[in-house]
Amino acid sequence: MTAQNNKIARRDFLTSIGKAVGGSAMLRAMAAMGIASGASACGSSSAASVPAAPPPPPPPPSGIAQARPGDWPANVGSGRSVLILGAGISGMTAAWEMRKLGYTCTILEAQASAGGRNKTIRSGDTIDEIDSSQTCLFDVADDLYLNAGPSRIAHHHEFLLGYCREFGIDLETFTNSNHGAWMHSTSTFGGQPQIAKQIFTDTRGNIARLLATAINQNALDQELSATDKSNILQMLGTFGDLDTGSGYAGSSRAGFPGQMNAGSRRRGERVTPLQLQELIADTFWELRASFSQGFEQQPTMLQPTGGMDKIARAFESRVLAETVFEAQVSEIRKTASGTRVVYSDRFGTPTTIDTDFCIVTIPATVLASIANDFSAAHQAEIAGFNYTSAVRAGFQSRRFWEQDHNIYGGISWTDQEITQIWYPNYGFGKTDGIILGAYIFGGVSGDNFANLSPAQRIGSIQSQANNVHPEFNAEASRGISIAWRKMPFQLGGWGTSNPATLLTPDANIVFAGEHLSMLQGWQEGAILSAYHAIDQVVMLS
C-alpha cells in the first residue's frame, strides 16, 4: 500500500469510528494515530551521539481535551472477553476502561509486577538486565529513589493527570529548566561549565543588539514603518536589557561573579558577558537553550510525590484481580471466533486462553520473537520497529549541588555522552539526595553504554560527570544504572518508528502502547493508544 493510500485508509477507518461511537472517540483515535492536524509521532530524544533537542510537536487536535474516557456506548462489551498482553500503562488503562463497558478482561504480564517502563528504584531493588544484575544500595528513605523510566508529566497531559486525580495520587512540581543549573561544552569557554542564566541572558542580549543595529542602520525600512521601528527598538531594549544606545554590555539578569560557588560571590557586580562568537561557535548552546521551549517540555511539569511508580501501583491495585503475573507469552493466534494465546505461568506450565479479542501492548522488540499468525504487513512493521537505547544512572550523594552551588532541582547539560545531570526536585535541604549522573537518550552513546558492564558504566559516568562537577567522584557513590535496551520484556527505551499497519486491527487482534501514539515515550501516549485500541475493539464488537 502506498503512503497516500495508507493515509486515506486510516482516515476512512477514523470516519467509521466517528459514525459508530461518536466524534470524541474519533478525536482520541486521531491523536493516537498521529494524523490529526498534520501531527506525527514525536519522541523525546534524538539518535545523535549527543542528542539534539527534539523538535516541538504540534499542539493537540482541536477538541482533544474534551475527549474523556467513558464516551463509548454503555455495556457495549457485555458478554465479550478481552485478553490484554502487558500490564504497562497502556494495558492497565485498557483493562480499567473496558471493564466499565462490560468486557471481561484478563491481563497477562511477563514480570512479577505491573508498570512496564514506569519503574522507580529504591534501596534493595534489583535491576536484572539480560546479561547482568545490580542491587540498589541507596539508604532507606522516602526521598532516596531514582525514576528509571518516565520522570515527568507535561501540564497538558490531561488524561494521565485525570487518572492522578481519580486515584488520589499526590503531585509536585518537576523543575525541567533551572537557570541556576549548568551547561558544559568541552569545546567552548575553555571546557568550563557556564551557568544557564548567563547563557540565556547573553544570547538574548546579543540577538537584541544585532536586530537593533540592523533597524538603526535602516536595513529593515522596507519591512517597518517609523512607528514600528520605534516600538520594536523599545521592545528589544527590554527583551535584551540593552543600554540607551541599543548596545549590550551585560545584564544583571546573568547574575554576579562567583555565583556558581557558594561563599565566593561578589554581589552588586556584573559578570563579564560571554562573547557572541563563542555562543554561536557550537550548536550545543542553541539546542540546549531551546529545550524547555518544546511543546512537551514547557513548564509547568509535574511528578508524583514519592516516585513515578505511584501511578503504576495505583493502576495495578485496580486491575489486580484481572492480572496474571509472570506469564510469558509464547504464541498469539487468530481463531474462527476470536483469538488464542499460549503462555507459560510462573511454574513453566503451558496454558492456553481463548478470548473474543486480544490487545497486544508488548513492545515490538519483544513481540517480534513471539510466534504468531499476524498478517505479513503487521509482521513486517513489528520486525522493523526501532526503539531508543536509553540509559540512566543514579547515585546517592551529599547534596553538594544545593550546599555548594545553590542548584535546587532541574537539569545540567553537557556535550559528553552522559548528556544530562538531573538534580532531585524533592527533599530540598536534606543531607543526601539521589543525583541522576547520566540520562542518555539513545543513539551511539546509548548503544555504547548499553554494551558496557554496569561497573564500567558507573566508572565512565563518574569520570564525565566530574568534568561538570569536580566533586562528583568524591561525593557521588552507590551508583546504579539501567540500559533499557538490555531490560528483559522491554529491549528498548521507547518506540521511534512511524507506525502505520499496527494502527489497524488484524482480525480480532489490535495493538497498543506508547510506540503507537503521537506521544512516543510518554505515559500520556500510552493512554491515548489504549483509547485507540478500545475504539477498535468497540468497532469489532
Side-chain angles (χ1 to χ4, degrees):
M1 180 181 289
T2 67
Q4 181 62 29
N5 287 340
N6 184 53
K7 186 174 181 180
I8 293 171
R10 290 163 70 188
R11 292 194 179 279
D12 289 341
F13 175 68
L14 288 170
T15 300
S16 67
I17 292 177
K19 290 178 179 178
V21 293
S24 62
M26 182 173 69
L27 287 170
R28 279 197 305 275
M30 293 171 74
M33 295 170 75
I35 65 173
S37 302
S40 61
C42 179
S44 52
S45 72
S46 165
S49 178
V50 177
S62 175
I64 191 64
Q66 286 72 48
R68 300 296 303 170
D71 293 334
W72 299 281
N75 298 317
V76 67
S78 181
R80 301 288 186 132
S81 59
V82 180
L83 180 62
I84 300 167
L85 305 184
I89 299 302
S90 185
M92 290 190 291
T93 298
W96 177 243
E97 296 299 340
M98 298 189 80
R99 190 173 65 188
K100 299 174 186 177
L101 301 177
Y103 290 96
T104 299
C105 298
T106 301
I107 305 176
L108 298 184
E109 169 53 47
Q111 302 186 85
S113 62
R117 279 160 287 187
N118 179 314
K119 188 174 187 65
T120 300
I121 302 172
R122 299 180 179 84
S123 177
D125 290 345
T126 58
I127 299 296
D128 293 320
E129 298 182 5
I130 58 177
D131 56 2
S132 68
S133 182
Q134 306 165 72
T135 299
C136 180
L137 300 177
F138 300 160
D139 287 340
V140 178
D142 289 343
D143 59 310
L144 297 180
Y145 63 84
L146 170 68
N147 286 325
S151 302
R152 48 197 165 188
I153 305 171
H155 63 275
H156 47 77
H157 287 181
E158 298 179 53
F159 296 120
L160 178 56
L161 291 171
Y163 285 123
C164 289
R165 283 190 291 272
E166 182 179 353
F167 299 159
I169 299 170
D170 293 333
L171 299 172
E172 60 192 4
T173 301
F174 179 96
T175 304
N176 204 36
S177 177
N178 179 357
H179 287 202
W182 296 358
M183 303 175 75
H184 168 250
S185 168
T186 56
S187 61
T188 52
F189 302 113
Q192 294 301 306
Q194 304 296 313
I195 195 163
K197 67 181 68 174
Q198 185 165 16
I199 296 294
F200 300 149
T201 297
D202 290 345
T203 298
R204 286 170 61 124
N206 278 293
I207 290 172
R209 175 183 62 82
L210 290 173
L211 182 53
T213 298
I215 292 172
N216 286 325
Q217 292 179 352
N218 304 318
L220 299 177
D221 280 2
Q222 291 184 333
E223 306 289 334
L224 304 171
S225 67
T227 300
D228 290 338
K229 290 170 63 175
S230 176
N231 290 342
I232 290 179
L233 287 171
Q234 182 176 349
M235 179 194 72
L236 291 173
T238 301
F239 175 80
D241 202 11
L242 304 183
D243 58 31
T244 55
S246 295
Y248 180 70
S251 169
S252 61
R253 299 172 184 172
F256 40 81
Q259 62 189 318
M260 295 175 73
N261 298 297
S264 62
R265 298 180 296 276
R266 302 199 303 276
R267 299 183 187 276
E269 300 179 38
R270 285 190 178 184
V271 292
T272 302
L274 302 173
Q275 295 300 304
L276 175 63
Q277 287 71 22
E278 286 207 88
L279 288 170
I280 63 175
D282 187 345
T283 56
F284 169 82
W285 303 107
E286 62 193 71
L287 293 174
R288 302 293 79 79
S290 64
F291 173 76
S292 64
Q293 305 303 310
F295 182 64
E296 292 301 326
Q297 302 293 345
Q298 295 169 3
T300 301
M301 302 200 80
L302 302 162
Q303 63 185 13
T305 303
M308 188 60 75
D309 66 347
K310 299 293 184 182
I311 292 174
R313 301 288 78 79
F315 267 110
E316 182 181 44
S317 67
R318 286 161 174 81
V319 298
L320 195 59
E322 290 87 4
T323 306
V324 180
F325 292 103
E326 297 180 82
Q328 296 191 33
V329 174
S330 57
E331 294 183 42
I332 306 172
R333 305 293 184 184
K334 291 174 280 190
T335 66
S337 59
T339 68
R340 174 171 296 157
V341 168
V342 180
Y343 71 94
S344 296
D345 65 18
R346 67 186 63 189
F347 304 109
T349 304
T351 304
T352 299
I353 182 169
D354 287 1
T355 54
D356 295 315
F357 305 99
C358 181
I359 298 177
V360 181
T361 74
I362 298 171
T365 45
V366 178
L367 185 59
S369 63
I370 297 175
N372 64 76
D373 56 4
F374 301 152
S375 74
H378 284 82
Q379 289 179 339
E381 188 160 293
I382 291 166
F385 218 94
N386 294 318
Y387 279 69
T388 62
S389 186
V391 176
R392 288 192 179 187
F395 300 77
Q396 183 171 332
S397 172
R398 176 181 72 87
R399 290 178 176 254
F400 65 82
W401 53 92
E402 294 177 5
Q403 298 166 17
D404 300 346
H405 305 301
N406 300 316
I407 299 174
Y408 291 87
I411 301 169
S412 285
W413 290 82
T414 175
D415 65 353
Q416 302 171 101
E417 283 191 314
I418 61 173
T419 309
Q420 291 183 336
I421 296 173
W422 287 22
Y423 313 98
N425 300 281
Y426 46 88
F428 297 126
K430 294 192 175 182
T431 302
D432 278 13
I434 304 303
I435 185 169
L436 190 85
Y439 178 22
I440 304 168
F441 300 164
V444 174
S445 297
D447 289 337
N448 289 344
F449 268 81
N451 291 332
L452 297 176
S453 70
Q456 289 172 326
R457 289 178 209 153
I458 294 303
S460 181
I461 290 166
Q462 286 183 305
S463 176
Q464 293 183 41
N466 217 59
N467 293 328
V468 182
H469 284 296
E471 58 272 83
F472 198 95
N473 275 341
E475 299 281 3
S477 62
R478 312 186 206 185
I480 189 166
S481 66
I482 184 167
W484 283 103
R485 197 190 77 186
K486 287 194 171 182
M487 289 298 289
F489 312 116
Q490 305 297 336
L491 303 182
W494 55 85
T496 59
S497 294
N498 187 27
T501 305
L502 290 174
L503 298 171
T504 62
D506 187 0
N508 281 16
I509 299 172
V510 300
F511 302 85
E514 53 76 27
H515 58 296
L516 303 182
S517 77
M518 67 182 294
L519 297 177
Q520 290 177 318
W522 295 93
Q523 293 175 103
E524 183 81 349
I527 292 170
L528 286 170
S529 184
Y531 294 166
H532 175 217
I534 297 172
D535 289 337
Q536 291 180 314
V537 172
V538 169
M539 280 287 299
L540 294 168
S541 295

